[in-house]
Amino acid sequence: MSGMASDHNNSSQEEYIPHYLQREDPFASKLSREADIIAGFYLTIIGILSTLGNGYVIFMSSKRKKKLRPAEIMTVNLAVCDLGISVVGKPFSIISFFSHRWMFGWIGCRWYGWAGFFFGCGSLITMTAVSLDRYLKICHLSYGTWLKRHHAFICLAVIWAYATFWATVPFAGVGNYAPEPFGTSCTLDWWLAQASVAGQAFVLSILFFCLLFPTAVIVFSYVKIILKVKSSTKEVAHYDTRIQNSHILEMKLTKVAMLVCAGFLIAWIPYAVVSVWSAFGRPDSVPIYFSVIPTLLAKSAAMYNPIIYQVIDCKFACCRSGGLKAKSSLKKSR
């Protein structure tokens, strides 16, 4: 603890002291005991639903693993990331909320922060890869003829390496993981941007490579897809049934990917806004009770994806069965 304080005192802006060095116990909860209990129950429900949902997705995918398309392999990887944060990270925060303080010290804080950032970054980069795959598949049809399963596995290796690099960079002395202002959770040390130019460079790099750039790629990809679909819907109607069925399947995968990305960004953008304000705004100006809400919302992101998969699958099955009934009635009438 004293070593961390001396490091900050040697920074270029010695007048700023982050919240976790202003108090003797940075891990004591700043919320009321009732608020901690409510947050603990909330995260318990989220954790159970996320574990069951993503576990089910992985289990069902493993039963047809040899038939998975490249885009479906990416979807499984997204479920692995969501399951990872639910199993590895959420128990730490649940126990701490119910205990009314962070129970695992600085080592546990840094581990929790690393795991959350690692799996969160892995999820976002996976969705970025999926959006690019959908863009190339829908807007550049020749792309689908050469993409094979081994290309998807190479992409997975790149995703995990990317997430590992950025999650581990803080341990190289250019950043850190620190307790949240409310005390019962840990995250990237956004407050380093208030202390030095090096801290600002670290925070800006994280924001660009792990949020802004991937989000820009996702938005670009789906805007182009929407424009392409509007212009090509009439053309597909003149193709034979086999091409129409293939197009329907590709659009199903695209809808799943779009909804997953939208759910992830809706859950994480409020947290990102609060983090940026903490890094570059007025120090410690975000109220404690206000800062915990975006954090809890971001932790719920892992729960949405299995629900989206099931809704789209049910809708697709209903449409497909409806189409089969229509075809059979048409044959009978003929």
Side-chain angles (χ1 to χ4, degrees), residues 142 187 209:
S142 59
T187 185
F209 289 104

Side-chain angles (χ1 to χ4, degrees), residues 138-149:
I138 301 297
C139 301
H140 302 277
L141 298 180
S142 59
Y143 164 81
T145 61
W146 65 266
L147 181 69
K148 306 299 181 184
R149 282 168 56 92

Side-chain angles (χ1 to χ4, degrees), residues 108-136:
C109 181
R110 293 188 177 102
W111 160 251
Y112 177 85
W114 181 90
F117 187 43
F118 172 72
F119 287 113
C121 182
S123 295
L124 182 57
I125 302 304
T126 299
M127 287 185 286
T128 305
V130 170
S131 68
L132 279 175
D133 172 77
R134 297 292 86 207
Y135 163 69
L136 293 172

Side-chain angles (χ1 to χ4, degrees), residues 266-294:
I266 290 172
W268 278 96
I269 283 179
Y271 179 78
V273 171
V274 172
S275 299
V276 170
W277 182 254
S278 299
F280 299 102
R282 193 158 50 87
D284 305 326
S285 60
V286 180
I288 298 296
Y289 276 86
F290 183 77
S291 67
V292 72
I293 296 174

Side-chain angles (χ1 to χ4, degrees), residues 68-317:
L68 293 176
R69 303 157 67 92
E72 294 173 315
I73 293 174
M74 294 294 178
T75 300
V76 174
N77 189 64
L78 186 59
V80 170
C81 291
D82 291 340
L83 183 63
I85 192 58
S86 298
V87 173
V88 176
K90 281 189 173 59
F92 285 79
S93 55
I94 291 171
I95 293 172
S96 296
F97 273 114
F98 282 126
S99 302
H100 198 48
R101 62 172 287 108
W102 178 258
M103 298 294 294
F104 306 98
W106 279 103
I107 294 177
C109 181
R110 293 188 177 102
W111 160 251
Y112 177 85
W114 181 90
F117 187 43
F118 172 72
F119 287 113
C121 182
S123 295
L124 182 57
I125 302 304
T126 299
M127 287 185 286
T128 305
V130 170
S131 68
L132 279 175
D133 172 77
R134 297 292 86 207
Y135 163 69
L136 293 172
K137 185 74 175 179
I138 301 297
C139 301
H140 302 277
L141 298 180
S142 59
Y143 164 81
T145 61
W146 65 266
L147 181 69
K148 306 299 181 184
R149 282 168 56 92
H150 69 272
H151 293 115
F153 290 115
I154 293 173
C155 187
L156 291 185
V158 173
I159 291 170
W160 287 110
Y162 191 93
T164 302
F165 173 78
W166 285 108
T168 310
V169 161
F171 294 132
V174 296
N176 203 355
Y177 293 99
E180 299 268 15
F182 51 88
T184 47
S185 182
C186 294
T187 185
L188 277 168
D189 192 347
W190 302 103
W191 302 272
L192 285 175
Q194 298 283 351
S196 66
V197 175
Q200 293 176 1
F202 162 72
V203 171
L204 287 173
S205 298
I206 291 292
L207 287 173
F208 179 78
F209 289 104
C210 300
L211 179 62
L212 297 180
F213 178 70
T215 302
V217 173
I218 291 172
V219 172
F220 167 82
S221 298
Y222 290 125
V223 168
K224 297 293 287 185
I225 287 172
I226 291 171
L227 295 176
K228 179 66 176 179
V229 168
K230 285 185 176 181
S231 63
S232 62
T233 301
K234 294 181 180 180
E235 298 176 7
V236 175
H238 298 291
Y239 295 157
D240 59 33
T241 304
R242 184 175 179 180
I243 295 178
Q244 287 181 1
N245 291 338
S246 176
H247 179 76
I248 291 173
L249 179 58
E250 294 299 336
M251 291 312 303
K252 175 203 169 186
L253 294 174
T254 303
K255 288 179 180 179
V256 169
M258 291 178 68
L259 289 174
V260 166
C261 291
F264 184 90
L265 294 177
I266 290 172
W268 278 96
I269 283 179
Y271 179 78
V273 171
V274 172
S275 299
V276 170
W277 182 254
S278 299
F280 299 102
R282 193 158 50 87
D284 305 326
S285 60
V286 180
I288 298 296
Y289 276 86
F290 183 77
S291 67
V292 72
I293 296 174
T295 302
L296 295 177
L297 179 62
K299 293 180 186 298
S300 68
M303 180 189 67
Y304 304 147
N305 296 339
I307 298 174
I308 294 172
Y309 304 149
Q310 294 305 311
V311 170
I312 295 294
D313 278 341
C314 290
K315 183 177 178 182
F316 181 68

